Amino acid sequence: MAENEVWVYSENKNVCLELLTAGKELSEKLNVPLASLVLGHGVKDVAEELSEHGPNKIYLIDHASLERFDSMSYAAAIETIVKQEKPKILLIGATKRGKELAGRLAARLNAGCMSECTEVDIGDDGSVIAKRAAYAGMAVATEKCKSTPAIVLLKPGRYEKAPSGGKGEIVELSLEIPEPSLKLIEFKPKEIKAVRVEEAEVVVLGGRGIKKREDFQMLEQLAEMLGGCVGCTRPIAADLGWYTEWVGLSGVAIKPKLYIGVGVSGAIQHVAGIKDSKVIVAINKDPEAPIFKSADYGIVGDLYEVIPELIKALKEVSKKEG
Amino acid sequence: MRVIACAKYAVDVSELRFDPSTGEPILAGAKMKLSDVDKRAIEEAIRLKEKHGGHVTVLTVGPESAKMGLREALAMGADEAYLLVDPLFEGVDTLVTSLVLKKAIEKLEGFDLIICGEATSDGYSSLVGPRLAGLLGIPQVAYVKRIVEVKDGSIVVERDLEDGYEVVEVKLPALLTVTREINEPRIPPLPAIMRASKKPMKMLSASELGIPSELLGQDGSAVQILEAKAPEIKRKGVIFEEMPADEAARKLVEALIREGVLGG
Ligand SMILES: Cc1cc2nc3c(=O)[nH]c(=O)nc-3n(C[C@H](O)[C@H](O)[C@H](O)COP(=O)(O)OP(=O)(O)OC[C@H]3O[C@@H](n4cnc5c(N)ncnc54)[C@H](O)[C@@H]3O)c2cc1C
Ligand SMILES: Nc1ncnc2c1ncn2[C@@H]1O[C@H](COP(=O)(O)O)[C@@H](O)[C@H]1O
């Protein structure tokens, strides 16, 4: 049996590599093996690849019912092997699919689950502790989980990807797995941008103050001059669909050296994702907008007047320098 | 169609203050309201009833003061509300919250659909919905941004995932968690608020729900919060206002040069 092992799982391979780094730290502290779960159909190559990034074992469940990610059949499969092998800790990537899976799995196992964690560790008494944002990102909470297994949802982007090295043993398990409960009718992929906002040094970020999609060109131009990229608030992406991802509590967290929020009110869920930026600039026509409270520099004014002037002022500077 | 909406009466995070000396949240007397997305869960339940007929029940695990939130739900158009209230339900984790909801649901007359929010505005775990579906052993679909169609015995919904939108059909009874984008909740007019005071609101305690006390409170919770503190963030707060846009822009560029954040 695999009692006390540390297990990691994410449906996303890159996130899984991050979990292997976090998992390795825990397994070394506890002096127990580290294992990674691979679920799907025709995924032996994924298992092979992950086995070369540090885990002692890979539990591979390859089954036709796991062809597409389905939180219910996936939870059922993991429930079965957890009950069989009794790991101590289960790290799951806090993607949307991961959270949906973890909640259901935690209920099936009557286990505790710590969500949206940014760090995980072992406490002095051997318990699993984790840090997470609390109150919509205004505070940082430290939590402790007393159940076995302890389920920890780790936010992507917090740990480095595990480097290659070693060769874990692949343990293939065959289980009875229920058919997926959802019938897929259509999948409309989102177009993923080449430049990733979480990696940019400068982020020019537009909010609802921007009236038309075309007007974002102005921000694209500004971002290009500053060597950065454009981001947006949740309503711009999720309500209007002008971009695919947004910045904030429920989106990506960024920490550029320069953030310029344009027509952004500064709701706490948004600020939660930008507060680690080095310099925060806000441009808003409402002097009472909460974003000014989180800003190093602000311009109170109409963005349609300010942005062209800002572009002009930057051109003058680069002319002088050039 | 019998729909249950689960809604938390949550700390209004935008009004929450922190003790400047300890960094801890000042929860005593903090303003509370229906959690943002949960209000949309209630709204969606009411819209389903308006379109397909049926009955809407709203469930809240929370303090006495949560009656205010449930009154609002009734005024919006819910038919009945249950406040699950007991000192043993306070400060509990998602394991206990979902257990209490499950026990209350088992007391109701059955349901076709349960609607939760994607996450609460203060707890932000996104766990109670999937946990509840897991306890009840019914299928779940999280992050639903649109209900496409209600069929006989199933429902078609569209959900918003990181890499795409997925349209799926799920058999009823099922549980959905909905996103902030699913609707714009109505603001009930005065007569509806008056009428709501006559609608049924019931309170149920741990013993009325038949839950042994060791499964509740701190003992029953698997996750315990050791501390919560607001890190102190200092921002300069230099605001350029009441000046022409070109002047403000020039001043900003100068400041950014001084900060060393312009160029390579
Ligand atoms: C559970 C949950 C999670 C959430 N997660 C996120 C998240 O991750 N990220 C996120 O961004 N939001 C998130 N939100 C939404 C958040 O609460 C706000 O609704 C959102 O951030 C507001 O976006 P906004 O600033 O673009 O729009 P608004 O709040 O509408 O602000 C627009 C601003 O533009 C200004 N403006 C208008 N016209 C002009 C002009 N001509 N010139 C200059 N200024 C102008 C206005 O003064 C206003 O301040 C979440 C909400 C919930 C409930
Ligand atoms: N105390 C509560 N009472 C009723 N429903 C709740 C409660 N807490 C959470 N929920 C439901 O579960 C969802 C997710 O909550 P959370 O896991 O806290 O993010 C919420 O949007 C609600 O629909």
Side-chain angles (χ1 to χ4, degrees):
Chain A
M1 229 188 342
E3 219 152 324
N4 288 332
E5 286 182 352
V6 175
W7 287 10
V8 307
Y9 175 73
S10 176
E11 79 290 349
N12 178 315
K13 197 177 70 195
N14 286 325
V15 176
C16 199
L17 288 170
E18 297 175 10
L19 299 180
L20 281 171
T21 299
K24 187 108 210 157
E25 288 177 14
L26 300 180
S27 71
E28 281 171 359
K29 272 200 179 155
L30 293 166
N31 200 16
V32 298
L34 171 67
S36 178
L37 305 182
V38 176
L39 281 77
H41 190 43
V43 288
K44 290 212 171 60
D45 54 330
V46 180
E48 290 285 347
E49 191 186 333
L50 288 174
S51 74
E52 289 166 11
H53 288 266
N56 303 90
K57 286 184 205 170
I58 299 275
Y59 291 105
L60 170 66
I61 308 168
D62 201 300
H63 193 288
S65 288
L66 302 175
E67 174 89 53
R68 258 194 89 73
F69 182 91
D70 175 272
S71 63
M72 289 144 281
S73 46
Y74 273 57
I78 300 179
E79 178 190 347
T80 308
I81 53 168
V82 167
K83 284 184 173 159
Q84 212 169 287
E85 307 289 332
K86 304 195 169 41
K88 179 177 167 74
I89 304 175
L90 203 56
L91 298 184
I92 297 180
T95 59
K96 288 181 174 177
R97 290 179 180 90
K99 287 190 271 186
E100 190 184 359
L101 167 77
R104 189 172 184 100
L105 178 65
R108 308 292 308 163
L109 295 169
N110 195 33
C113 181
M114 303 192 280
S115 192
E116 293 277 308
C117 299
T118 51
E119 267 174 63
V120 56
D121 203 353
I122 305 294
D124 297 335
D125 59 351
S127 61
V128 183
I129 53 177
K131 281 201 167 33
R132 63 166 299 191
Y135 302 109
M138 301 226 292
V140 177
T142 309
E143 294 182 342
K144 169 176 166 170
C145 184
K146 67 179 186 199
S147 67
T148 308
I151 303 180
V152 184
L153 278 159
L154 259 194
K155 269 178 93 75
R158 297 295 163 146
Y159 286 82
E160 296 289 323
K161 293 192 182 77
S164 56
K167 178 88 181 110
E169 175 200 0
I170 297 181
V171 183
E172 189 159 357
L173 302 168
S174 65
L175 309 176
E176 296 243 351
I177 295 165
E179 301 251 308
S181 320
L182 304 184
K183 187 170 130 202
L184 180 71
I185 294 176
E186 193 187 355
F187 184 73
K188 300 177 255 184
K190 290 183 184 175
E191 158 198 332
I192 305 295
K193 268 199 296 179
V195 210
R196 306 199 51 195
V197 70
E198 56 265 55
E199 281 150 23
E201 291 262 300
V202 176
V203 176
V204 178
L205 194 137
R208 286 304 298 263
I210 290 156
K211 296 290 164 285
K212 297 196 299 292
R213 191 176 191 157
E214 303 86 270
D215 299 342
F216 261 92
Q217 272 163 18
M218 212 159 56
L219 303 198
E220 297 276 3
Q221 189 189 345
L222 181 59
E224 199 182 314
M225 292 177 73
L226 296 168
C229 80
V230 166
C232 68
T233 59
R234 177 162 171 164
I236 296 289
D239 285 318
L240 301 170
W242 295 351
Y243 289 90
T244 53
E245 55 176 20
W246 61 82
V247 169
L249 184 68
S250 55
V252 296
I254 57 173
K255 39 182 176 200
K257 61 179 191 183
L258 175 61
Y259 161 100
I260 305 182
V262 184
V264 171
S265 61
I268 46 174
Q269 293 93 352
H270 179 68
V271 173
I274 66 165
K275 63 181 182 353
D276 294 332
S277 307
K278 184 165 174 262
V279 175
I280 294 183
V281 174
I283 298 169
N284 196 305
K285 67 175 180 191
D286 173 9
E288 301 297 324
I291 186 88
F292 288 122
K293 291 207 181 67
S294 307
D296 294 293
Y297 299 97
I299 295 181
V300 178
D302 186 330
L303 71 95
Y304 288 94
E305 289 170 23
V306 175
I307 298 299
E309 289 299 338
L310 193 54
I311 290 173
K312 222 195 285 170
L314 283 166
K315 275 189 187 147
E316 273 162 30
V317 173
S318 61
K319 232 188 288 165
K320 260 187 237 156
E321 283 179 357
Chain B
M1 191 169 205
R2 295 189 76 87
V3 188
I4 296 171
C6 299
K8 184 177 181 185
Y9 196 62
V11 173
D12 182 348
V13 276
S14 61
E15 302 275 332
L16 185 63
R17 295 286 162 267
F18 291 82
D19 183 322
S21 57
T22 63
E24 283 167 14
I26 305 169
L27 294 172
K31 214 177 133 207
M32 314 263 287
K33 62 173 193 178
L34 279 175
S35 175
D36 295 324
V37 187
D38 298 3
K39 211 159 150 178
R40 295 169 200 248
I42 298 168
E43 173 70 32
E44 202 59 25
I46 296 166
R47 288 188 191 184
L48 280 173
K49 179 186 84 166
E50 286 168 348
K51 215 162 152 197
H52 304 280
H55 186 85
V56 174
T57 305
V58 180
L59 302 181
T60 296
V61 182
E64 283 270 341
S65 61
K67 280 184 183 166
M68 295 284 288
L70 288 172
R71 287 257 166 270
E72 187 179 352
L74 292 170
M76 284 168 73
D79 298 293
E80 56 169 354
Y82 286 85
L83 177 59
L84 313 168
V85 51
D86 197 296
L88 289 168
F89 301 165
E90 281 167 29
V92 296
D93 72 348
T94 58
L95 185 156
V96 174
T97 304
S98 49
L99 174 69
V100 175
L101 289 170
K102 177 202 178 217
K103 289 290 187 180
I105 289 169
E106 284 171 350
K107 282 207 167 275
L108 303 178
E109 262 174 59
F111 62 90
D112 300 296
L113 190 67
I114 300 175
I115 307 183
C116 287
E118 62 174 297
T120 47
S121 41
D122 55 353
Y124 200 75
S125 300
S126 307
L127 291 176
V128 172
R131 281 198 96 115
L132 180 56
L135 288 180
L136 292 165
I138 57 171
Q140 65 190 47
V141 190
Y143 304 102
V144 171
K145 62 171 280 225
R146 186 165 69 97
I147 292 180
V148 180
E149 195 187 348
V150 177
K151 294 187 174 173
D152 195 20
S154 73
I155 189 165
V156 181
V157 298
E158 177 170 350
R159 60 196 200 126
D160 187 347
L161 296 170
E162 286 97 343
D163 56 347
Y165 301 100
E166 199 176 68
V167 181
V168 290
E169 180 170 349
V170 60
K171 287 212 181 71
L172 299 176
L175 181 144
L176 309 179
T177 81
V178 298
T179 69
R180 184 192 149 268
E181 287 73 32
I182 192 157
N183 59 44
E184 202 45 63
R186 71 194 69 191
I187 297 164
L190 198 58
I193 298 173
M194 308 290 285
R195 275 198 307 277
S197 61
K198 296 195 191 68
K199 288 187 181 173
M201 178 166 0
K202 294 174 205 120
M203 307 226 273
L204 293 173
S205 66
S207 60
E208 285 164 310
L209 290 169
I211 317 175
S213 61
E214 64 270 21
L215 300 183
L216 299 167
Q218 287 295 321
D219 288 346
S221 296
V223 174
Q224 196 188 338
I225 300 175
L226 302 177
E227 68 164 38
K229 279 190 176 161
E232 207 186 328
I233 306 172
K234 284 211 177 71
R235 291 287 170 190
K236 295 203 174 76
V238 178
I239 309 295
F240 306 115
E241 56 188 327
E242 284 161 17
M243 60 179 82
D246 57 341
E247 189 185 337
R250 269 200 311 276
K251 289 206 149 105
L252 175 62
V253 170
E254 281 163 22
L256 296 180
I257 291 172
R258 275 198 305 276
E259 290 280 354
V261 292
L262 288 191

